[in-house]
């Protein structure tokens, strides 16, 4: 501990020695952990103890000195299609936590073109950034950011994209399989898909798996697919189209909780009770899922873990090591918006 500090005091400007004393380890161990080089040398439990001690003390490495040694700015760019989505906000928070633990700064950049080509927000991105973490986009959309040789880690994106140094994905296919089996298990045979009007891997995967699962049940059919912008109003309009067409579906499977909230609103406007006359399911398990009544059956996506794992992957790539593709588990969350279909 700093000589001027009394026992139990938190040092005004903590050092790696202070972190080592707090964690009960050597300074070398602190260096290994905070530089993400502890795997195989330090136990996961001890590594977390070091990170916790650093957080408690408010320790941050000397970024200026380290940048000179490494020739890096120790700054990562996080690119998302929009800031209005709770999913991206939670994902960003997870990435920022890991970055802070390892002395990295994070710049958040919402692409003004959505999932389309993201323009370079800096005149010379390669001179100001070490790497890019991007969510729910395709690697070619980041071409202007990665042409300078910046490592690119993709989240919730095509796992075979050759432009990405690593990918971290939720198991989207399994999530839709779980959801489809849930509604089919309840007895639904006329299913409508309220699909996001977004051409990206994550939504194509949802559509593909829903179609496959419905096709496995001989008397079940996907009676309609209605595409909608990712808004409550978009979900409402698409659900109204599905529910006023014949044959009328008994369940609306929505690509996102926002679309599902709009679908519930459409059912009420048409005088249909959820779930006794029509069931509604969402995807994402955002706060909105429990803000509506009845609460939404949905699929929980690990947004924070995606950000955390994505930043870990980017740090691994920056060390010159290969980062394997990661698939994170998802979970079906059954709630009151789904039930057995009413008899015709």
């Amino acid at each position: 501990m700093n000589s001027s500090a009394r026992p139990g005091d938190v040092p005004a400007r903590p050092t790696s020695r202070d972190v080592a004393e707090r964690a009960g380890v050597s300074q070398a161990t602190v260096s290994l952990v905070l530089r993400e080089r502890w795997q195989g040398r330090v136990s996961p439990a001890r590594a977390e103890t070091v990170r916790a001690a650093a957080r408690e003390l408010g320790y941050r490495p000397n970024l200026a000195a380290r940048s000179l040694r490494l020739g890096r700015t120790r700054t990562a760019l996080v690119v998302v299609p929009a800031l209005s989505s709770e999913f991206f906000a939670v994902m960003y928070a997870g990435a920022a936590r890991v970055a802070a633990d390892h002395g990295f700064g994070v710049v958040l950049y919402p692409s003004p073109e959505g999932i389309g080509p993201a323009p370079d927000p800096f005149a010379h991105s390669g001179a100001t950034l070490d790497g890019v973490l991007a969510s729910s986009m395709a690697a070619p959309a980041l071409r202007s950011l990665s042409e300078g040789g910046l490592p690119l880690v993709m989240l919730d994106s095509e796992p075979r994209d050759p432009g990405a140094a690593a990918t971290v994905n939720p198991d989207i296919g399994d999530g839709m399989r779980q959801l489809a089996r849930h509604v089919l298990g309840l007895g639904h045979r006329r299913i409508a898909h309220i699909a996001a009007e977004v051409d990206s891997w994550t939504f194509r995967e949802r559509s593909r798996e829903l179609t496959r699962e419905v096709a496995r049940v001989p008397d079940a059919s996907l009676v309609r697919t209605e595409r909608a912008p990712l808004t409550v109003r978009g979900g409402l309009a698409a659900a109204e189209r599905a529910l006023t067409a014949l044959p009328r579906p008994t369940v609306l499977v929505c690509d996102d909780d926002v679309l599902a909230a709009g679908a519930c609103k459409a059912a009420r406007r048409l005088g249909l009770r959820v779930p006794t006359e029509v069931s509604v399911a969402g995807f994402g398990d955002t706060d909105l899922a429990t803000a509506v009544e009845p609460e939404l059956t949905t699929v929980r996506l690990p947004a924070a873990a995606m950000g955390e794992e994505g930043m870990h992957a980017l740090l691994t790539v920056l060390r010159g090591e290969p980062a394997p593709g990661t698939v994170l588990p998802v979970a079906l969350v059954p709630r009151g918006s789904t039930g057995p279909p009413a008899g015709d």
Side-chain angles (χ1 to χ4, degrees), residues 140-164:
L142 282 300
R143 185 170 289 113
S144 66
L145 296 172
S146 57
E147 281 177 344
L150 291 176
L152 174 62
V153 172
M154 303 297 297
L155 310 178
D156 193 30
S157 302
E158 170 59 58
R160 293 172 295 276
D161 197 324

Side-chain angles (χ1 to χ4, degrees), residues 76-161:
L77 183 72
V78 176
V79 184
V80 298
L83 280 180
S84 57
S85 166
E86 177 190 337
F87 174 85
F88 295 126
V90 174
M91 183 275 295
Y92 167 77
R97 277 195 298 272
V98 171
D101 282 346
H102 297 90
F104 258 72
V106 175
V107 177
L108 177 63
Y109 180 58
S111 172
E113 306 301 325
I115 65 166
D120 186 346
F122 305 102
H124 302 287
S125 62
T128 56
L129 300 168
D130 288 328
V132 180
L133 190 65
S135 181
S136 308
M137 305 174 76
L142 282 300
R143 185 170 289 113
S144 66
L145 296 172
S146 57
E147 281 177 344
L150 291 176
L152 174 62
V153 172
M154 303 297 297
L155 310 178
D156 193 30
S157 302
E158 170 59 58
R160 293 172 295 276
D161 197 324

Side-chain angles (χ1 to χ4, degrees), residues 199-212:
D199 184 20
S200 67
W201 170 84
T202 187
F203 292 116
R204 290 193 297 270
E205 187 75 2
R206 295 170 211 214
S207 178
R208 184 163 45 243
E209 290 302 325
L210 177 61
T211 300
R212 285 176 179 171

Side-chain angles (χ1 to χ4, degrees), residues 3-310:
S3 58
S4 61
R6 293 172 297 179
D9 285 349
V10 174
R13 302 184 70 176
T15 67
S16 62
R17 178 180 296 176
D18 299 317
V19 176
E21 290 182 3
R22 174 68 66 93
V25 300
S26 67
Q27 279 183 270
T29 297
V30 171
S31 178
L32 285 172
V33 171
L34 297 186
R35 291 170 62 200
E36 276 294 298
R37 295 189 175 183
W38 59 271
Q39 290 88 346
R41 307 181 192 181
V42 180
S43 72
R46 180 157 293 182
E48 180 53 36
T49 298
V50 171
R51 287 192 288 262
R55 286 193 296 268
E56 291 165 7
L57 292 172
Y59 172 73
R60 293 291 181 268
N62 185 331
L63 298 186
R66 183 174 289 185
S67 294
L68 288 173
R69 290 196 302 271
L70 300 179
R72 294 177 179 170
T73 62
R74 298 188 71 79
T75 302
L77 183 72
V78 176
V79 184
V80 298
L83 280 180
S84 57
S85 166
E86 177 190 337
F87 174 85
F88 295 126
V90 174
M91 183 275 295
Y92 167 77
R97 277 195 298 272
V98 171
D101 282 346
H102 297 90
F104 258 72
V106 175
V107 177
L108 177 63
Y109 180 58
S111 172
E113 306 301 325
I115 65 166
D120 186 346
F122 305 102
H124 302 287
S125 62
T128 56
L129 300 168
D130 288 328
V132 180
L133 190 65
S135 181
S136 308
M137 305 174 76
L142 282 300
R143 185 170 289 113
S144 66
L145 296 172
S146 57
E147 281 177 344
L150 291 176
L152 174 62
V153 172
M154 303 297 297
L155 310 178
D156 193 30
S157 302
E158 170 59 58
R160 293 172 295 276
D161 197 324
T167 57
V168 177
N169 286 326
D171 198 338
I172 290 293
D174 182 58
M176 185 54 86
R177 286 191 294 273
Q178 290 186 55
L179 186 55
R181 290 168 186 174
H182 168 71
V183 298
L184 290 164
L186 288 171
H188 292 280
R189 294 297 180 265
R190 297 196 304 273
I191 295 104
H193 183 198
I194 308 302
E197 203 171 60
V198 178
D199 184 20
S200 67
W201 170 84
T202 187
F203 292 116
R204 290 193 297 270
E205 187 75 2
R206 295 170 211 214
S207 178
R208 184 163 45 243
E209 290 302 325
L210 177 61
T211 300
R212 285 176 179 171
E213 287 302 314
V214 172
R216 294 178 191 276
V217 179
D219 57 342
S221 62
L222 196 58
V223 294
R224 291 188 73 81
T225 296
E226 293 288 348
R227 303 196 175 278
L230 271 171
T231 62
V232 172
R233 182 175 295 181
L236 186 154
E240 282 185 338
R241 294 193 299 270
L243 292 171
T244 53
L246 294 176
R248 195 175 79 193
T250 62
V251 60
L252 305 176
V253 175
C254 305
D255 269 351
D256 189 272
D257 291 343
V258 169
L259 296 178
C264 288
K265 195 170 185 178
R268 286 194 299 273
R269 287 190 176 184
L270 293 170
L272 298 172
R273 292 171 295 170
V274 177
T276 53
E277 293 174 291
V278 62
S279 287
V280 177
F283 212 99
D285 197 31
T286 59
D287 287 344
L288 186 57
T290 53
V292 298
E293 187 62 42
E295 295 183 352
L296 289 175
T297 290
T298 187
V299 173
R300 179 172 297 147
L301 299 180
M306 283 176 56
E308 293 165 355
E309 291 298 322

